[in-house]
Amino acid sequence: MGIVLTRIDERLVHGQIMTSWAKYLKLNRIVVVDDEVYNDEFMREVISYSAPVGIETKVINSSQIDYLEMIKNDSKNTLLLFKDIKNVERVINNGYKINELQIGNVSSTPDRKKITNNVSLSESELVSLDNIIKSGTNVYAQMMHTDKRNNLTN
């Protein structure tokens, strides 16, 4: 199947993904795309130990487009996971096409405006979101697979 879901969730690999999304999507692999995490050996190790047995994990940076192209349509069900919207924008700017993007959880901070119950974005993140949408990516918010999708493209 290849990449079955592209998602932003600032918590990265955590209980909700493991218990719900992994089962629902029948995941074989999780690929975290984050420049900061990629450069932090300790965090890469934490992520590799966070996934359940049987689910391969890999952390890459936003310039590793060749790897994304290679796994796009391979036989493993893969979750492409981003910590933030800036890394999604970098991947697209580096030439990788994302058809659909799910935003799961981006918490509220003083500089962020609430978009949905689980998604808050700053002004610069809203600009990035607009750029992502202009690239042709359909964007929606959805916490759990049982929740209704909240279209953000419009």
Side-chain angles (χ1 to χ4, degrees):
M1 287 284 300
I3 297 172
V4 294
L5 179 63
T6 302
R7 176 179 171 95
I8 296 174
D9 194 319
E10 67 185 5
R11 300 165 298 177
L12 293 175
V13 180
H14 62 92
Q16 192 174 53
I17 286 178
M18 294 303 100
T19 58
S20 182
W21 284 107
K23 289 178 186 176
Y24 178 71
L25 297 170
K26 298 178 175 78
L27 292 180
N28 308 106
R29 176 174 50 209
I30 298 171
V31 176
V32 173
V33 184
D34 189 278
D35 293 343
E36 191 175 307
V37 174
Y38 178 80
N39 291 318
D40 185 333
E41 186 176 335
F42 175 74
M43 283 306 298
R44 285 196 318 264
E45 196 169 315
V46 167
I47 287 171
S48 71
Y49 289 118
S50 299
V53 174
I55 297 181
E56 170 191 337
T57 59
K58 183 169 179 74
V59 178
I60 65 171
N61 65 38
S62 62
S63 66
Q64 291 179 276
I65 305 307
D66 290 345
Y67 178 77
L68 295 178
E69 291 293 347
M70 181 182 74
I71 66 167
K72 184 189 278 186
N73 297 309
D74 71 7
S75 62
K76 292 184 178 181
N77 285 3
T78 301
L79 169 62
L80 194 57
L81 187 59
F82 293 84
K83 186 175 178 181
D84 59 42
I85 201 161
K86 295 292 188 184
N87 279 291
V88 175
E89 185 179 30
R90 284 185 199 114
V91 164
I92 290 170
N93 288 343
N94 285 329
Y96 184 74
K97 173 72 174 143
I98 297 175
N99 294 321
E100 196 165 71
L101 174 65
Q102 176 189 84
I103 303 179
N105 187 65
V106 180
S107 64
S108 178
T109 62
D111 68 324
R112 287 182 172 156
K113 179 174 108 178
K114 189 172 186 173
I115 306 299
T116 70
N117 283 343
N118 300 306
V119 177
S120 297
L121 298 174
S122 68
E123 288 301 319
S124 68
E125 290 167 328
L126 286 168
V127 170
S128 293
L129 177 64
D130 189 50
N131 291 336
I132 290 166
I133 291 168
K134 285 177 180 173
S135 78
T137 303
N138 179 46
V139 181
Y140 63 95
Q142 184 180 26
M143 184 63 103
M144 301 295 294
H145 65 87
T146 53
D147 297 335
K148 185 180 177 194
R149 289 182 176 194
N150 185 351
N151 187 346
L152 300 179
T153 300
N154 299 327

